[in-house]
Amino acid sequence: QLVESGGGLVQAGGSLRLSCAPSGRAFVPYAMGWFRQTPEKEREFVATTTCSAETARYADSVKGRFTISRDCTKSTVYLQMNNLKPEDTANYYCAAGSLTVQDAARYTYWGQGTQVAVSS
């Protein structure tokens, strides 16, 4: 199980930093990523990475604004979100698995989600 934190309400143009770490026994998955979902849409890919920063991949909608990073000594993954837009409003989920892919079904472990709301 994974636990996310850092969500909240922010004005457009503002920033938030999400964090995610395993609860209970620590483990270091090969890939960790972020997805988001609203009531109107299916869960969509945001970003994923391994312990090597050069493997980071992003959805086109967040490139240049969001940065994913990991602290593999703590099994933690972060999502720095800058220049937030109202369309970024969603429940954000952390995921862990063995591949850095955009398909949510390929991830094994999930968090409960943290809400991000961006006002215009």
Side-chain angles (χ1 to χ4, degrees):
Q1 186 73 359
L2 303 171
V3 179
E4 304 99 335
S5 61
L9 174 63
V10 64
Q11 289 188 333
S15 298
L16 284 174
R17 188 191 194 209
L18 306 183
S19 300
C20 170
S23 63
R25 187 172 64 91
F27 67 106
V28 184
Y30 178 75
M32 295 189 78
W34 293 93
F35 290 76
R36 65 188 182 186
Q37 188 170 17
T38 65
E40 297 79 25
K41 293 183 179 180
E42 293 185 352
R43 191 165 297 189
E44 68 171 352
F45 168 75
V46 176
T48 186
T49 191
T50 70
C51 290
S52 298
E54 61 267 22
T55 63
R57 300 172 64 185
Y58 298 91
D60 289 342
S61 58
V62 306
K63 277 181 184 176
R65 300 187 299 121
F66 291 10
T67 302
I68 188 171
S69 62
R70 287 185 65 177
D71 181 347
C72 289
T73 64
K74 301 178 182 179
S75 302
T76 302
V77 63
Y78 305 96
L79 186 68
Q80 177 66 43
M81 306 185 293
N82 298 328
N83 191 21
L84 282 159
K85 304 176 180 180
E87 51 263 42
D88 294 318
T89 296
N91 210 21
Y92 283 71
Y93 296 88
C94 174
S98 58
L99 296 170
T100 51
V101 294
Q102 301 185 18
D103 184 357
R106 305 297 294 273
Y107 288 81
T108 305
Y109 303 96
W110 288 87
Q112 294 299 308
T114 185
Q115 182 67 36
V116 170
V118 184
S119 63
S120 58

